[in-house]
Amino acid sequence: MSNVNMEATNILPILKKKLAFLSGGKDRRSGLILTIPLSSDQTSMEELSATLDYLLSIPSEKCKARGFTVIVDGRKSQWNIVKTVVLMLQNVIPAEVSLVCVVKPDEFWDKKVTHFCFWKEKDRLGFEVILVSANKLTRYIEPCQLTDDFGGSLDYDHSDWLSKRLVFEKFTKESTSLLDELSVINESDKSSSVEKEKSADCALLPSFDPETVLQTGHELLSELQQRRFNGSEGGGEGKGGPAWCPMEEELLAQPQVMKLLDSLREQYTKYQELCRQRNKRTQLDEIHAKVMQVVTWLQGPGSELLKTHQEIGDSMRAAQALQQKHEEIESQHSEWFAVYVELNQQIAALLSAGEEEEVLELKALQQQLSDVCYRQAAQLEGRQNVLQAAQGFHTTTQELSQQLDGLLGMLCADVAPADGASIQQNLKLLEEKLQAVEAGLSSLRQKGTLLMEQMCSQPAWTLEEAESPAGEQPDNAQHIQGVMEEMQLRKQRCEDMVDVRRLKMLQMVQLFKCEEDALQSVEWLGELMDALLKTHVRLGDDSQENRTMLDKHRKFVDVAQSTYDYGRQLLQATVVLCQSLRCTTRSSGDTLPRLNRVWKQFSVSAEERQQRLELALSFHAAAERVLQQECVDAESLDEVDSSGKTLLDRLTMPIIFPDGSEQYFGTPGDTAAAAESVRERLLLVEERRLQLQEARLHNDDDEEEEEEEEEEGLHNGQEARLDVIGEELSEKEEQDEEEEGEVGEQVEDLERATQDC
């Protein structure tokens, strides 16, 4: 009979021998196939029986009701062993066996004897026994339900099956035991709820770790589901359908695993809640103890440390020493403040899930802890602010003292600058130092005021605690006020000295500036003269342009005159400044002759330029008149011609300076270009002269032609008259021969008159 309580671990060596196994295959009635592979070695019937008992305890009752098909592989065994095994099946599983297939070796046993023997025992055995060769086994079982030992395609790994079986049984055993223990723990907690506030531990610990057991169960369930999916929905490749896997739910009771997991999760959740409640109570007690520890230290040793250190020091080094000591005090407080932060986080976490009674207790603890910590932190911050302000005050005092020393040293040194730029630089440096002193004193006042405000705004101690350090505050304030007054007096003395030095340096700057500007005026005047001689060469092409150029020249001369006057004024100012500073003139003695010499040369050049422009204006104006008038006499033309030649001669002449040197306007090319317009205008005047001469000649010719025409007309009239008279004479010749003599005389007179004409 099968033993449902049998475990694989008890017969593990026997199961490893693979005396029998459930491959997972099914017969055509959906009954499971039980395979007994007999070997050539002697098979122990007791071990085989134990194996069969264990295997038959695995399937469910529903699965057993469909019957088993037993394959006894006797190809490597003897007939009597096969027979013994078949008969043993009657005792082990008589009701569950439907068919026994004995796989025989090829032509080894006596077919008649074996067949007759099993046939004879059929009614007594209760199941049918057939003797079949391996290749004929597919007549009774589909190939996809047979392992490869019998030519089938069903995969079966006995070692893998055994390891999974061990895991399953281990999980079943541990989960069942764990469920019992958790149930006992949870029930015992309900019965002893009155004492749960006094519990110091987390009750009895279970024999197995619930997380580990649950993890094992989930992995097992996942493996079962995966194997079933792979086996039932496409894992095999047999002819008759998908291959079967031995870990299918009918073999390993997947619902049982799921049920155990559900029950275990339920009990474990209750167990966790129980532990959480007990841990919360333990946390409350621990938090209360830690809170009181923090409060006791802060109100005791921590406060004493702060009350005994209220000085501000009398120098930067003393303030730094006090700051270092305060940092040590802060470091000690930081350790307790870290505990406060941790406690505050723990309390906040418990408040979010605590009961009403616990919440009130936690809030009271939290409020007490916060009040003490914030008060102590305010004292630390106030002390830190005072020390920082004191250090800043002493630092500024030291810097200001150094600045005043540097300014005083600069004022005591003699001033002997080389030029105006160095004086400007020294003056700028002096002003910068004075501004730095003023800024430093202003900063000192601000920091002193801030320090006194910080001392006055420190959080007050209780009346009893405040009696001892109170006397230090007035002393500190008096020290601060005394330092600021001393620095103010030193700064005032330096300011008075700076005013005297500034006036002297400004006069020296002005002196150098006047000398430099005077030299600059000489250079400017020289540049104006160079520009006049080199670029002011051209003359206008007509009177209007010459008039414009003349106006520009006068303005140009005015600019030069202003430059000269400016230079004279600067040189006069240098004399006055040198007398004020009690020093000799640095360069004005040489500058004045240079200025006068350049101005004289410029004056001569400007006068010559003006005369040339005036000559050009007079020439072009006269030329334009004679060119525009219709009737011009020869004298006017001669005057224009004479004026133009005079201008051309003037352009070729050099300028003679007062020192006897000569200078020409521009280059010869520039002079030739300026004379070109004059020559062109002279040519126009000459053309005008020729035109007038031609006009006179033309008028004389016209008069001669008129006289010749008159004479020719008179001669023609006389000839016509002679012809008429001749005709009249011929007609009258016959009639008046008597008058022939008179007519002849008249003819002769007419002929003589004609000849005279």
Side-chain angles (χ1 to χ4, degrees), residues 1 22 25 78 120 126 183 214 230 267 284 399 475 478 481 515 525 650 725 745:
M1 296 298 291
L22 290 169
Q78 299 177 359
K120 181 171 62 175
S183 298
L214 283 171
N230 292 337
Q267 290 297 327
L284 285 175
E399 292 175 354
D475 295 338
Q478 291 177 3
Q481 194 65 34
E515 292 176 352
L525 196 58
R650 191 65 175 265
I725 294 173
E745 292 178 358

Side-chain angles (χ1 to χ4, degrees), residues 304-338:
E304 288 297 324
L305 284 173
L306 285 176
K307 285 185 292 183
T308 54
H309 293 83
Q310 294 295 317
E311 310 88 18
I312 62 170
D314 56 357
S315 64
M316 185 174 65
R317 181 174 300 178
Q320 290 175 347
L322 291 173
Q323 176 67 32
Q324 185 176 1
K325 180 62 179 177
H326 180 73
E327 289 175 356
E328 295 175 0
I329 297 175
E330 280 187 334
S331 178
Q332 296 178 22
H333 280 76
S334 298
E335 298 176 1
W336 293 99
F337 286 153

Side-chain angles (χ1 to χ4, degrees), residues 278-558:
R278 293 180 177 178
N279 287 335
K280 186 185 296 184
R281 184 66 256 172
T282 303
Q283 287 179 348
L284 285 175
D285 295 339
E286 293 177 352
I287 287 174
H288 186 274
K290 291 181 179 179
V291 167
M292 297 312 298
Q293 187 179 6
V294 173
V295 170
T296 301
W297 190 90
L298 291 178
Q299 291 180 342
S303 297
E304 288 297 324
L305 284 173
L306 285 176
K307 285 185 292 183
T308 54
H309 293 83
Q310 294 295 317
E311 310 88 18
I312 62 170
D314 56 357
S315 64
M316 185 174 65
R317 181 174 300 178
Q320 290 175 347
L322 291 173
Q323 176 67 32
Q324 185 176 1
K325 180 62 179 177
H326 180 73
E327 289 175 356
E328 295 175 0
I329 297 175
E330 280 187 334
S331 178
Q332 296 178 22
H333 280 76
S334 298
E335 298 176 1
W336 293 99
F337 286 153
V339 177
Y340 158 71
V341 172
E342 182 180 356
L343 288 174
N344 204 26
Q345 293 176 351
Q346 293 177 3
I347 292 173
L350 292 176
L351 283 174
S352 61
E355 299 177 358
E356 183 176 358
E357 180 180 355
E358 296 172 349
V359 168
L360 294 176
E361 181 182 356
L362 287 170
K363 285 186 176 180
L365 285 173
Q366 189 179 39
Q367 187 63 40
Q368 180 185 8
L369 181 62
S370 297
D371 291 343
V372 174
C373 288
Y374 278 114
R375 184 166 58 249
Q376 197 72 5
Q379 292 289 346
L380 282 171
E381 184 179 4
R383 176 60 179 166
Q384 175 66 27
N385 292 336
V386 169
L387 288 176
Q388 288 181 350
Q391 191 169 358
F393 176 78
H394 292 308
T395 301
T396 305
T397 301
Q398 182 175 345
E399 292 175 354
L400 179 58
S401 179
Q402 293 174 354
Q403 291 172 352
L404 288 169
D405 292 341
L407 180 59
L408 184 61
M410 184 176 179
L411 292 171
C412 293
D414 191 15
V415 180
D419 51 20
S422 61
I423 295 178
Q424 289 280 12
Q425 186 176 0
N426 290 336
L427 183 59
K428 181 180 179 183
L429 181 60
L430 184 65
E431 296 291 347
E432 289 176 353
K433 285 184 175 293
L434 183 59
Q435 291 177 1
V437 167
E438 292 176 352
L441 184 59
S442 176
S443 177
L444 183 65
R445 292 195 190 100
Q446 293 177 358
K447 293 184 178 180
T449 304
L450 175 63
L451 177 55
M452 288 189 288
E453 290 177 354
Q454 291 290 348
M455 290 189 299
C456 294
S457 63
Q458 279 186 280
W461 303 90
T462 61
L463 183 60
E464 296 79 5
E465 295 172 339
E467 291 178 355
S468 58
E472 296 183 5
Q473 300 297 343
D475 295 338
N476 292 335
Q478 291 177 3
H479 173 71
I480 295 169
Q481 194 65 34
V483 170
M484 290 193 294
E485 291 176 357
E486 179 187 357
M487 292 299 167
Q488 176 64 36
L489 291 175
R490 291 182 60 186
K491 184 251 184 183
Q492 186 64 45
R493 288 195 296 269
C494 288
E495 276 186 342
D496 296 339
M497 297 177 68
V498 167
D499 292 339
V500 176
R501 178 58 61 89
R502 183 189 296 114
L503 178 60
K504 182 177 181 181
M505 295 181 73
L506 287 175
Q507 288 179 343
M508 295 184 70
V509 168
Q510 190 174 6
L511 171 62
F512 281 110
K513 182 64 177 174
C514 289
E515 292 176 352
E516 291 175 2
D517 291 347
L519 290 174
Q520 185 65 49
S521 64
V522 174
E523 294 178 2
W524 287 345
L525 196 58
E527 291 175 358
L528 291 174
M529 189 180 71
D530 290 342
L532 176 63
L533 293 175
K534 294 179 180 179
T535 60
H536 293 211
V537 181
R538 181 178 170 276
L539 300 176
D541 295 335
D542 52 30
S543 61
Q544 182 62 34
E545 186 176 1
N546 276 283
R547 189 174 291 106
T548 302
M549 294 178 71
L550 190 59
D551 292 339
K552 290 182 178 180
H553 175 72
R554 292 192 180 99
K555 293 178 180 179
F556 183 77
V557 173
D558 292 341

Side-chain angles (χ1 to χ4, degrees), residues 181-325:
E181 293 178 2
L182 292 178
S183 298
V184 172
I185 293 172
N186 293 335
E187 292 298 326
S188 64
D189 179 71
K190 291 181 180 179
S191 63
S192 60
S193 58
V194 179
E195 301 178 356
K196 66 180 180 179
E197 294 184 359
K198 303 295 183 180
S199 300
D201 54 4
C202 194
L204 297 176
L205 295 176
S207 303
F208 303 100
D209 179 23
E211 295 289 345
T212 304
V213 176
L214 283 171
Q215 180 67 23
T216 303
H218 285 300
E219 292 176 355
L220 177 60
L221 182 61
S222 176
E223 181 68 21
L224 291 175
Q225 293 173 344
Q226 183 67 25
R227 288 172 65 87
R228 183 181 180 187
F229 174 80
N230 292 337
S232 303
E233 301 181 14
E237 301 177 356
K239 298 179 180 179
W244 181 254
C245 179
M247 298 299 284
E248 200 260 346
E249 66 175 353
E250 289 186 357
L251 295 178
L252 292 183
Q254 178 179 336
Q256 181 181 357
V257 176
M258 296 175 65
K259 181 178 179 181
L260 286 171
L261 285 174
D262 293 340
S263 300
L264 187 57
R265 278 194 292 265
E266 180 182 359
Q267 290 297 327
Y268 183 50
T269 302
K270 294 179 180 179
Y271 173 74
Q272 286 178 319
E273 179 63 21
L274 172 63
C275 292
R276 190 183 66 81
Q277 293 294 336
R278 293 180 177 178
N279 287 335
K280 186 185 296 184
R281 184 66 256 172
T282 303
Q283 287 179 348
L284 285 175
D285 295 339
E286 293 177 352
I287 287 174
H288 186 274
K290 291 181 179 179
V291 167
M292 297 312 298
Q293 187 179 6
V294 173
V295 170
T296 301
W297 190 90
L298 291 178
Q299 291 180 342
S303 297
E304 288 297 324
L305 284 173
L306 285 176
K307 285 185 292 183
T308 54
H309 293 83
Q310 294 295 317
E311 310 88 18
I312 62 170
D314 56 357
S315 64
M316 185 174 65
R317 181 174 300 178
Q320 290 175 347
L322 291 173
Q323 176 67 32
Q324 185 176 1
K325 180 62 179 177

